[in-house]
Amino acid sequence: MNRIGIDLGGTNITAGIIDEEGVILKKKSLPTLNERESSLIINDISKLCRELFEEFNDIVSIGIGSPGEINDVDGIVIYNCNLGFENVDLREALSEFSVPVFVENDANCAAYGEHMFGAAREYEDSVTITLGTGVGSGVIKNGSIFKGSFYGGTEIGHMVINADGEYCNCGRIGCFEAYSSATAVIREGKKVSTDSEICRIVNGDFSKINAKIVFDAAEMGDKEAVCIIKAYYKNLAVGLANVINIFQPEIIVIGGGVSAQGEKLINPVKSIVDCMVYGGRNKTELVQAKLGNDAGLIGAALLK
Amino acid sequence: MNRIGIDLGGTNITAGIIDEEGVILKKKSLPTLNERESSLIINDISKLCRELFEEFNDIVSIGIGSPGEINDVDGIVIYNCNLGFENVDLREALSEFSVPVFVENDANCAAYGEHMFGAAREYEDSVTITLGTGVGSGVIKNGSIFKGSFYGGTEIGHMVINADGEYCNCGRIGCFEAYSSATAVIREGKKVSTDSEICRIVNGDFSKINAKIVFDAAEMGDKEAVCIIKAYYKNLAVGLANVINIFQPEIIVIGGGVSAQGEKLINPVKSIVDCMVYGGRNKTELVQAKLGNDAGLIGAALLK
């Protein structure tokens, strides 16, 4: 018994066959070309599904993870600004395959993937936070995706942690995302002096700074980079302690590009979080994600 | 069919008989004298229950709302620093009455009361925030109290909204409570000049300032008070917008002493919140609590 998972991203549409153990048996993708009409994007999703149906004859469902606001009950993308989708009925669009079609927010799919076959597999209550270009999040409660009343909510990246602080892409000031995304590390990295190791690594071309370079420079002992990373840890801990004070999950899973730092990131942040949790006795574990970029694909396939 | 509700506060133990329509038929209280041994406090809870059982012969359950960390499954107060309770088994302590005994956090009881018979009666998903000495909170999801994995969580008052801001009683910096409690209004009220209306109202005795005086002075047009209240509204809105971005409930109920300001508070705060919600289309209502100080008592009685 296999399932199709689809990760509908801004750059690529990735479709995969996932077996009952969460293993990806096959993966295919097409460029999203997100400026196109939604019907053309849907045609490409159908094309990928058709190819997978030709290759595998025991597909029982299709699950799609899409950014934006999703009506998961009816399988409709209510709104997605990147793709220009508005009330796009993906369940109807894929009805030709005669299997159940599920649609869910991509961050929720990633959290569900980590819950089912990743770092939160042994837990019923988890929160997955992805630290990438933005800060994504999904909450699993009693083994199911936790959602707001109107198909939204759990936008933890857009929880303000510093009301007098940095501007966020969403238009507010001080969101968790404005402090804990890879983008935030890059923004701070670009503020260093020409004496910094960061400047040396990029040969003075600050447009080449990425988050890893700032982490690397900090590890080499560069004082300015160390300062940036220390502030990053502290702000990340503030947001995670908020998550614990609010949800008190059994486990928080850290994914996204920044999580590649592994224990070097998790351990110091965990120490700060432990001091910040209300009541002083933190029982929530903090771990690195296991499924990497496949979390959303796997989670989407497992939707039901 | 009636139920006993008990509000175990730091100052008073209040017990009431609540009928099936959420009406309080009888209310009695005794001073908590919270420096006493827990066994003496429990004796007084039993005494109140005994008196109510003598007067009413159709009592089917006892529900207790207590501050602190509560194991609601077993009916145990795990920890309550105000009362000095540690692992106090209230279910066992009240077993003589031969009816089911339920124990829950007092803020959760207030939220449940507002859900069952108050401002959130028509809704399945609500968040109740009480603006008093502190900021209390309870979350109702699908008609039930939402709790963390280890009997904690939904400490929304201790969500940091300004990481570089004011100290909070909990030891962290910048908690929602440090900005949105009545205590925060008083703290700011004490900073005004001697030219302020606030100073005139208290005849120069700043120790007499309470939140209502600051709101009153603002309404009279006192510039310093207006400034305090405007900042208060903005910070309250930041916290509430966070709640919506995280939980997206159908409705947020505002209780506690500050909520006595009614529409004068709710309307301007709602306008700011609407501009702050992620995605820009706020669907969550914001209303004043209906049950006042009885919310906790009523909610406790209805526990099951």
Side-chain angles (χ1 to χ4, degrees):
Chain A
M1 205 168 72
N2 295 314
R3 299 168 190 277
I4 291 179
I6 291 164
D7 183 1
L8 177 52
T11 311
N12 288 302
I13 308 163
T14 307
I17 292 282
I18 284 86
D19 74 8
E20 288 181 74
E21 292 307 310
V23 177
I24 301 172
L25 303 180
K26 182 96 188 185
K27 198 153 83 170
K28 288 170 167 261
S29 69
L30 287 169
T32 310
L33 309 171
N34 65 352
E35 312 262 305
R36 297 186 290 172
E37 279 285 308
S38 65
S39 63
L40 298 175
I41 295 175
I42 290 170
N43 282 349
D44 279 349
I45 296 175
S46 296
K47 186 170 178 285
L48 289 168
C49 288
R50 215 168 293 123
E51 289 172 13
L52 292 171
F53 267 93
E54 278 164 16
E55 230 172 304
F56 294 83
N57 58 12
D58 52 356
I59 295 166
V60 296
S61 66
I62 300 171
I64 304 167
S66 163
E69 204 179 344
I70 311 294
N71 170 344
D72 60 301
V73 175
D74 300 314
I76 294 167
V77 179
I78 300 172
Y79 183 71
N80 174 331
C81 67
N82 281 338
L83 301 175
F85 277 25
E86 215 169 322
N87 290 315
V88 172
D89 189 338
L90 289 177
R91 180 169 296 163
E92 171 64 28
L94 300 179
S95 58
E96 62 175 291
F97 298 105
S98 303
V99 294
V101 176
F102 304 102
V103 188
E104 186 48 272
N105 173 276
D106 56 353
N108 289 346
C109 288
Y112 195 56
E114 290 290 344
H115 162 66
M116 292 296 283
F117 289 109
R121 190 169 183 175
E122 308 294 324
Y123 304 86
E124 286 298 288
D125 294 351
S126 61
V127 176
T128 294
I129 308 267
T130 54
L131 310 172
T133 309
V135 170
S137 57
V139 175
I140 303 299
K141 183 74 185 167
N142 299 327
S144 299
I145 294 168
F146 180 92
K147 298 198 72 162
S149 302
F150 311 103
Y151 308 119
T154 72
E155 289 289 352
I156 292 169
H158 298 287
M159 160 183 73
V160 167
I161 63 164
N162 198 334
D164 296 324
E166 298 285 343
Y167 279 92
C168 181
N169 276 335
C170 76
R172 278 176 97 188
I173 294 170
C175 291
F176 187 32
E177 173 165 307
Y179 288 92
S180 298
S181 58
T183 312
V185 179
I186 296 165
R187 178 191 69 224
E188 297 304 311
K190 287 181 176 172
K191 292 179 186 169
V192 297
S193 73
T194 49
D195 296 335
S196 164
E197 188 66 30
I198 295 173
C199 183
R200 198 196 56 73
I201 296 173
V202 297
N203 286 321
D205 182 356
F206 276 30
S207 72
K208 288 185 180 156
I209 294 173
N210 61 34
K212 186 176 180 301
I213 287 170
V214 183
F215 277 101
D216 288 348
E219 216 180 339
M220 289 176 208
D222 177 71
K223 280 183 188 168
E224 293 179 79
V226 165
C227 204
I228 293 168
I229 297 306
K230 275 193 176 173
Y232 179 82
Y233 287 168
K234 182 243 176 186
N235 285 313
L236 178 55
V238 167
L240 297 178
N242 279 0
V243 168
I244 295 169
N245 288 348
I246 293 167
F247 285 106
Q248 200 188 48
E250 292 167 282
I251 189 165
I252 294 177
V253 176
I254 302 293
V258 174
S259 73
Q261 297 295 318
E263 297 299 306
K264 281 184 294 179
L265 172 84
I266 300 289
N267 292 341
V269 171
K270 177 77 164 61
S271 301
I272 311 173
V273 167
D274 285 344
C275 299
M276 286 182 166
V277 165
Y278 183 68
R281 290 172 297 177
N282 181 29
K283 294 161 191 160
T284 300
E285 290 182 59
L286 184 67
V287 300
Q288 187 183 3
K290 270 195 183 156
L291 303 181
N293 286 332
D294 291 327
L297 189 75
I298 294 170
L302 300 168
L303 292 172
K304 55 189 176 201
Chain B
M1 204 169 74
N2 296 315
R3 299 168 191 277
I4 291 179
I6 291 165
D7 183 0
L8 177 52
T11 310
N12 289 301
I13 308 164
T14 307
I17 291 284
I18 284 87
D19 74 8
E20 288 182 76
E21 292 308 309
V23 177
I24 301 173
L25 303 180
K26 181 95 188 185
K27 198 154 83 171
K28 289 172 167 262
S29 69
L30 286 170
T32 309
L33 309 171
N34 65 351
E35 311 263 306
R36 296 186 290 172
E37 280 283 309
S38 65
S39 63
L40 298 176
I41 295 175
I42 291 170
N43 281 349
D44 278 350
I45 297 175
S46 295
K47 186 169 177 286
L48 288 167
C49 288
R50 216 169 293 125
E51 289 171 13
L52 292 170
F53 266 95
E54 279 164 17
E55 231 174 305
F56 294 83
N57 57 13
D58 53 354
I59 294 165
V60 296
S61 67
I62 300 171
I64 304 167
S66 163
E69 206 180 340
I70 312 294
N71 170 345
D72 60 301
V73 175
D74 300 313
I76 294 167
V77 179
I78 299 172
Y79 183 70
N80 173 332
C81 67
N82 281 337
L83 302 176
F85 278 24
E86 216 169 322
N87 290 314
V88 172
D89 188 338
L90 289 177
R91 180 169 295 161
E92 171 64 28
L94 300 178
S95 58
E96 61 174 294
F97 298 105
S98 303
V99 295
V101 175
F102 304 102
V103 188
E104 184 49 272
N105 174 275
D106 56 352
N108 289 346
C109 287
Y112 195 57
E114 290 291 343
H115 162 65
M116 292 295 284
F117 289 110
R121 191 169 181 173
E122 308 294 324
Y123 304 85
E124 286 299 287
D125 295 351
S126 62
V127 176
T128 294
I129 308 269
T130 54
L131 310 172
T133 310
V135 170
S137 57
V139 175
I140 304 298
K141 184 72 186 169
N142 300 326
S144 299
I145 294 168
F146 179 92
K147 298 198 74 162
S149 301
F150 311 103
Y151 308 118
T154 72
E155 289 289 353
I156 292 170
H158 298 286
M159 160 183 74
V160 167
I161 63 164
N162 199 334
D164 296 325
E166 298 286 343
Y167 279 91
C168 181
N169 276 335
C170 77
R172 278 177 95 188
I173 293 170
C175 291
F176 188 32
E177 174 166 305
Y179 288 92
S180 298
S181 57
T183 312
V185 179
I186 296 166
R187 178 192 68 224
E188 296 305 311
K190 287 182 176 172
K191 291 180 186 168
V192 296
S193 73
T194 49
D195 296 335
S196 164
E197 188 65 30
I198 294 173
C199 182
R200 199 196 55 74
I201 297 173
V202 297
N203 286 321
D205 182 355
F206 277 29
S207 72
K208 287 185 179 156
I209 294 173
N210 61 35
K212 186 176 180 301
I213 287 170
V214 182
F215 277 100
D216 287 349
E219 216 180 340
M220 290 177 208
D222 177 70
K223 280 183 187 168
E224 293 178 79
V226 165
C227 204
I228 292 168
I229 297 305
K230 275 193 175 171
Y232 179 82
Y233 287 167
K234 183 244 176 186
N235 286 314
L236 178 55
V238 166
L240 296 178
N242 278 0
V243 168
I244 295 169
N245 289 347
I246 294 167
F247 285 105
Q248 199 188 48
E250 292 167 282
I251 189 166
I252 295 177
V253 176
I254 302 293
V258 174
S259 73
Q261 296 297 317
E263 297 299 305
K264 283 184 294 179
L265 172 85
I266 299 290
N267 292 341
V269 171
K270 176 77 164 61
S271 301
I272 312 172
V273 167
D274 285 345
C275 299
M276 285 181 167
V277 166
Y278 184 69
R281 290 174 297 177
N282 180 29
K283 294 161 191 158
T284 300
E285 291 182 59
L286 184 67
V287 300
Q288 187 183 0
K290 270 196 182 156
L291 303 182
N293 285 334
D294 291 327
L297 188 74
I298 294 171
L302 299 168
L303 292 171
K304 57 191 176 201

